[in-house]
Structures are given as structure tokens and as C-alpha cells.
Amino acid sequence: MSKAVPFNFENPPWTASYDPHVPARVKVPDIMLHDMLRISSEKHPKAIAVTFMGERISYKRLYEETLKVASGLKSLGVGEKDCVAIIMPNVPEYITVSYGAMALGARACLLNPLWSPIEIEESLSKLKADVVVVQDLLLDKVERVMDKYNIVVSEIDDYGSFSFRFKVGLGRFVGRLTSVPKGIVKYRDLLKRGMIRETFKGDPEKTVAAMLYTGGTTGIPKAVMLSHRNVVANIIFQRVWFNRSEAKDVVLGLLPFFHAYGFGSILGLSLNIAANLVLVPRFEPKKLVDLIIKNRINLIPGAPTVYIMLLKEVPEAKLRRLKGIAEICFSGAAPLPVEIIKRWEAITGCRIVEGYGLTETSPVVAANPIYGRRKHGSIGLPMPSTLLAVADLMEPKLIDGTGEIVISGPQVMIGYYDMPEENKNVFFECCGKRWLRTGDIGYMDEEGYFFIVDRKKDIIKYKGHSVYPRHVEEVLYQNECVAEAAVIGVPDPVVGENIKAFIVLRPECKGKVTERDIIEWSKQRLGGHEYPRIVEFREDLPKNPAGKILRRLLREEELKKVRKTSSS
């Protein structure tokens, strides 16, 4: 195995490009994740921790109710290493239950509420769940397993203003909303068991804080085990990078907490800096802008789809009202087209900072500077105390040039739960360090900025040429009629894989632009081996809960068509 090192680990090239306030290394405190909420409640007891449906919850109250929930979970038999499954949207209970579980030494097992009942049943079985906490509107998701687990039901009016609770109560009275069946433990029951006196103290590096699902590099759902140290490191690095002080920020809590971006970068960071986290259970573009203006939200973590939909559906005049309110706009989960960045910043004045991460890394490992030089198309610079490198696609060695991006740092996961073969494939040892393979193909420039060319599995082979879908998509987004785009390779007996683009048109272009127009336009801007040969217009594109367009599902659709044609 090669021991070649492409740069000095002790003095990596990217630190010279850091903003002045960012050190090369940051000490990660030796604390548990739930300790961060305790510390904020002690330092800023009266500061607003959460705003939800008109109700404002202080840090003192939030922490006390977290300890009460922990006591309630303990009465149900929850203890160290147990799994408390959570099936809810972004509501205050998500915080008290996840942090309450961790305060007992248990694991917060975060499930996607959009999954089917069968998928949820399978996940609960694999995770060996002990207690399942589900919102009342999602009770149908667990009907198949009601007799297998301790079920706790949170009701949508457990929190919220008086007027909100009154509307919900009226809805139940007239039969529009169903009531929780008798005999089932309610979230409010957990709050009646007093408070635990001591929270769990363990080894932050070895104790699992949360388990979140990811498709990883293969598309097969895997439960990622994140330790307390993993998530704490992620939070501390972001706090330093984004230069935040305490009890001053108002943060948008839109992206789902069952996603690593939501759990680690939004929820975790907000609680650490004692910010006011404004929870948004459902994305409605026009209402979201009103909420940002009303609550003076200055930190806006989003995903590409959020910015694309806001630009598409909200009048420009209304978006301009965000000037002077929105301070930093984050974007993660997927690459954000340069044209979208330029339009958003021109209208709102809010600088978009793109970051990069994986569920397996808690999630953030790189970002562009918030003040310094930002390179469009780059995922930015590695976080402090974090190493990124480029590895050979097949052999466990680091290389110069283009290859697979690999990561080493304290935010890298313990591993996948109960999947030894997957763990063996995703990690390798080199140069005295443990590296995580990302499945992303990229390179580092001379200033330490990293660029992703594409996903390893997404590269299209057209007549032997490697075509990178992301590059083609970036060009398509330059077309003023393109709202969303996804490019994939479809099997072709002559060329190997043909290049197909799925496009969502902007409303004003529908009926005026044809598929041939897009192809001819692309020919003028892409190489002869790169432009799409096939274009299909769609009303929308498949996405994951964080807003990332899922090329994989589009490929599966095309493969089914090919199989059907072959069999007929």
C-alpha cells in the first residue's frame, strides 16, 4: 500500500485561505451532546430557545421539559444504549424527546415520517427499538406495530399559542382531526413524572447519540451511528466557522431534524449558541417569507430546492424585503447552481455560503468562507481539525489530481449499524489515519479549495467519454427557462449510455419552449460528447426530504422502460 502523502497534514494548504477568525485547529470539548442544552439553559435561562406556532419557549423551560421527558421515558424502561425512535416533523417535542433520550444514555433513532408503514416497521425491527414516539397525525404509520413497542403519541397542540390550540381543539370537536385512542401514552404524560436528577455521563467518543438513515454511496438504506463527540465536534467547528456569538441569532428551522443537516447543523448549532430556533413543520414558500420577516430570522439554512422554489413562487418584490434581515444563507445537501446563487443574492442581498457534508460526518466537513474568497462551484475549504484528501478509486492510497474525496476527522461516524461489510468497504487506513470514502469524485486546487466533479456512480459513459451530470446541469441552469434540471445516463446499445435531461420549466416558459429548443441551446454551450440527446419536461423532480434531487430514482424509471422494451 502506498504511503505517499499529497500534502503536509500538520500544515494543510487550505488554512491560508481561512477567514482571519478561523484557527487551523479547534479543541472539541469533552462533553455529551445533551450537555450543550444544559449549558445554554444555565447561561441564558430567559433567552428564547424555540418559537413554534406563535408560542415562545425559553431555554430554562426547554431544558426542564427535556429532563421531564427523560424521566417519563425512564418510567417506560428506557436506559443506556436503548433506541428511542422518533417519527415527527419539526416540532418542540422532537428536541425534548431526542435530547431526553440522550440524557439517559439512550440513542435517538430518527426515522423519516414520509416512509411507508412497511418501511417504518422494517426500520424499527432492525434498530431494535424500545420506545416509539410518533405525532398523532402520523399514527397510521405505526398501526402495524402498535402491539410490538411502547408507543408514545405527541399531539399537534402540545405546543403553540392559545389561538393555535383552540383551532386544533375545534378541529377535533367537529371531527376534522382524530383524537388519540384511549390507553395510549401521550407525550403530556411523560411530563408528569418529575425530572431526572442526573444526566448520563459516558465516553463521548464511544457513546452513540443518534442513529440516522442514509442511502450512502450505494442507495441501500443504512443506519449511521453518530457518537456524542461526532455531533459536538460538528457543532463547535460550525460555530467557529460562522463566527457566531450567543443569544443573538434567530435561526430558520425548516429542514427536517431526521436529516443530519437538520439535526446537527440546525438544531444542534442553534442550541449551542442559544439562538431562537423558529420551527417550520411544512414548507410553503410564500408563508415562509412572511415568517422570516415577522420573526426577523437572520440565519437561513436551506437546500437548493428551498432557494429554487422561493425564486420560482415568491414575487421578487416580496423577496427584496429580506434585505437587512437575512444575514447569512447556508446551502447544503446538494450542489446549488451558480445561476441560482447569483439571482438570490442580487434580489435578497443575503450571501449564500455553500457547505458540504454527509450523514456519515454529522454532517459538515467543508464550507466556503463567510467573509473571504468564495469560489463558485466549490464545496469550499475543510473545517478546522478536519482533513480532506483525494484517494485512488480502487486502492487504499491518497493521490494528487482527480479521484474520490475522502475524510478524516472527529466528526466522522462510528460506523453503520449492524453492517460490518459496509463498514469494511467505506473505511480504509492510510498514512496513520482512518479515512471515510464519500463516493464523490473531485479534486483540490492549489489554494486548498475542493471541487466535486460528480458522484462516482453518476458518471455517464458516452462512447467511452466520461460525462459529468453536474457540469451539464450547471449549464442547463443558465437557461432562463429552466427552473430545475437533472441529468442521467440511459442504456444505449450503440453509445453505451445516452445523455438524458429531465427539466422543470419556469411557469412563464411552459408551452413556449420545446425539448428540441433545449437540445439545440445546449449544443452551443457543451462539448459534442456532453450535450443532452434526450430531454423530458416534468412538473417536478423526485427529491429527498432535504431537497436533494434523486437521480437514482430517475435512473430506475429509465431502466424499467428498457427492461419492458426488451421483454416485449
Side-chain angles (χ1 to χ4, degrees):
M1 182 176 69
S2 170
K3 293 291 183 181
V5 180
F7 56 83
N8 183 354
F9 288 158
E10 298 304 316
N11 187 28
W14 53 78
T15 57
S17 299
Y18 277 180
D19 282 325
H21 70 274
V22 180
R25 293 177 183 79
V26 173
K27 180 177 173 56
V28 179
D30 193 32
I31 60 175
M32 310 303 284
L33 181 54
H34 49 270
D35 288 332
M36 287 188 155
L37 175 56
R38 172 184 57 79
I39 292 168
S40 288
S41 73
E42 291 172 350
K43 294 170 69 175
H44 307 283
K46 295 182 180 180
I48 300 302
V50 174
T51 297
F52 176 74
M53 294 298 178
E55 183 176 14
R56 292 153 67 87
I57 303 168
S58 70
Y59 269 91
K60 181 176 185 293
R61 179 185 165 195
L62 183 67
Y63 185 59
E64 287 178 349
E65 294 197 356
T66 297
L67 297 180
K68 289 178 181 179
V69 168
S71 181
L73 291 172
K74 187 177 181 180
S75 71
L76 295 176
V78 174
E80 186 179 345
K81 296 184 179 180
D82 286 337
C83 167
V84 176
I86 303 173
I87 308 170
M88 290 188 282
N90 289 8
V91 291
E93 300 98 308
Y94 212 114
I95 306 171
T96 57
V97 172
S98 59
Y99 277 67
M102 292 184 289
L104 294 172
R107 304 170 176 185
C109 301
L110 316 182
L111 304 190
N112 185 343
L114 300 178
W115 283 345
S116 70
I118 292 176
E119 289 173 313
I120 286 177
E121 181 180 14
E122 290 174 350
S123 296
L124 292 173
S125 177
K126 289 177 182 177
L127 295 173
K128 301 178 178 63
D130 297 278
V131 171
V132 180
V133 185
V134 60
Q135 191 183 62
D136 55 354
L137 298 182
L138 299 167
L139 257 177
D140 62 308
K141 301 282 187 175
V142 296
E143 280 183 347
R144 298 167 59 97
V145 297
M146 295 287 278
D147 58 342
K148 295 181 181 178
Y149 304 100
N150 281 320
I151 304 293
V152 177
V153 178
S154 73
E155 297 176 282
I156 58 173
D157 57 343
D158 282 337
Y159 293 94
S161 65
F162 174 79
S163 61
F164 172 71
R165 295 185 189 191
F166 178 79
K167 289 177 182 177
V168 174
L170 185 61
R172 289 199 184 99
F173 179 75
V174 299
R176 290 181 181 175
L177 294 173
T178 58
S179 299
V180 178
K182 292 182 179 180
I184 293 181
V185 177
K186 295 183 180 181
Y187 170 81
R188 292 174 192 172
D189 295 331
L190 300 183
L191 299 176
K192 300 174 183 178
R193 303 283 184 171
M195 293 188 287
I196 58 170
R197 294 185 179 182
E198 292 185 2
T199 58
F200 179 79
K201 305 293 182 186
D203 184 342
E205 191 170 355
K206 295 180 180 178
T207 304
V208 176
M211 294 204 285
L212 301 85
Y213 270 88
T214 179
T217 61
T218 63
I220 300 171
K222 297 181 284 289
V224 172
M225 296 185 291
L226 297 179
S227 71
H228 285 259
R229 182 174 177 80
N230 289 155
V231 186
V232 168
N234 170 73
I235 292 167
I236 294 299
F237 296 162
Q238 289 181 84
R239 175 175 176 156
V240 170
W241 192 266
F242 294 112
N243 201 24
R244 306 326 298 167
S245 52
E246 295 182 2
K248 292 185 178 180
D249 290 318
V250 185
V251 182
L252 178 66
L254 169 65
L255 297 184
F257 293 158
F258 62 81
H259 190 279
Y261 187 2
F263 186 73
S265 296
I266 300 175
L267 174 56
L269 178 61
S270 295
L271 297 181
N272 176 249
I273 62 176
N276 174 6
L277 182 59
V278 182
L279 299 182
V280 185
R282 183 179 178 185
F283 178 39
E284 297 175 271
K286 293 178 182 178
K287 290 183 179 181
L288 181 64
V289 175
D290 289 333
L291 191 74
I292 293 171
I293 295 169
K294 178 182 178 181
N295 290 277
R296 308 290 296 180
I297 297 174
N298 67 311
L299 300 185
I300 303 179
T305 300
V306 173
Y307 296 109
I308 289 169
M309 294 302 292
L310 288 172
L311 288 169
K312 179 182 176 183
E313 297 192 15
V314 181
E316 189 172 311
K318 191 167 190 175
L319 287 176
R320 289 190 183 280
R321 294 179 61 192
L322 297 181
K323 285 188 175 181
I325 297 176
E327 179 186 345
I328 300 177
C329 295
F330 314 109
S331 184
L336 184 60
V338 174
E339 289 304 311
I340 300 298
I341 295 174
K342 290 179 179 178
R343 285 187 61 215
W344 175 264
E345 293 182 347
I347 295 170
T348 67
C350 185
R351 177 182 171 111
I352 288 181
V353 178
E354 279 199 277
Y356 170 74
L358 313 167
T359 305
E360 290 89 338
T361 56
S362 314
V364 180
V365 294
N368 276 274
I370 62 169
Y371 305 124
R373 186 179 182 190
R374 177 184 54 176
K375 295 187 179 183
H376 286 309
S378 170
I379 60 172
L381 308 165
M383 290 280 120
S385 302
T386 303
L387 293 174
L388 264 67
V390 177
D392 185 90
L393 296 180
M394 302 302 293
E395 297 183 41
K397 65 179 181 181
L398 305 184
I399 61 172
D400 284 314
T402 299
E404 183 172 7
I405 293 178
V406 294
I407 304 163
S408 181
Q411 67 273 65
V412 175
M413 68 172 179
I414 294 175
Y416 298 120
Y417 177 70
D418 199 25
M419 299 186 80
E421 197 60 32
E422 288 285 349
N423 289 325
K424 182 179 177 181
N425 293 334
V426 80
F427 290 112
F428 70 92
E429 298 284 336
C430 181
C431 317
K433 303 204 178 279
R434 175 180 180 249
W435 298 91
L436 172 78
R437 288 189 177 275
T438 65
D440 288 318
I441 307 302
Y443 63 92
M444 179 184 74
D445 72 10
E446 66 282 352
E447 294 180 295
Y449 286 77
F450 279 78
F451 293 79
I452 291 178
V453 179
D454 228 309
R455 291 289 291 173
K456 186 162 60 176
K457 65 179 183 297
D458 286 341
I459 296 173
I460 301 168
K461 286 294 184 179
Y462 176 80
K463 293 184 178 180
H465 297 285
S466 291
V467 178
Y468 299 102
R470 183 182 174 188
H471 172 63
V472 180
E473 290 163 2
E474 285 279 357
V475 173
L476 288 171
Y477 274 110
Q478 294 173 20
N479 188 305
E480 61 184 11
C481 284
V482 174
E484 292 183 293
V487 174
I488 66 167
V490 295
D492 186 286
V494 178
V495 299
E497 285 184 300
N498 224 330
I499 304 160
K500 180 171 182 177
F502 295 85
I503 289 173
V504 176
L505 291 174
R506 295 180 64 80
E508 63 270 22
C509 294
K510 292 180 178 179
K512 300 177 182 178
V513 175
T514 67
E515 292 87 347
R516 175 50 57 182
D517 291 334
I518 297 294
I519 293 172
E520 292 301 322
W521 182 91
S522 301
K523 275 186 181 180
Q524 305 301 316
R525 293 161 177 81
L526 288 163
H529 64 294
E530 294 176 314
Y531 72 88
R533 269 61 179 177
I534 312 166
V535 170
E536 181 181 326
F537 291 155
R538 294 217 173 173
E539 288 299 314
D540 52 46
L541 297 176
K543 303 177 185 73
N544 72 5
K548 181 179 180 180
I549 294 173
L550 298 175
R551 294 189 193 125
R552 172 174 53 83
L553 296 184
L554 295 171
R555 276 198 304 272
E556 289 174 2
E557 285 183 28
E558 293 301 313
L559 288 173
K560 286 180 181 178
K561 292 179 185 177
V562 171
R563 294 190 194 106
K564 188 174 181 180
T565 303
S566 300
S567 62
S568 60

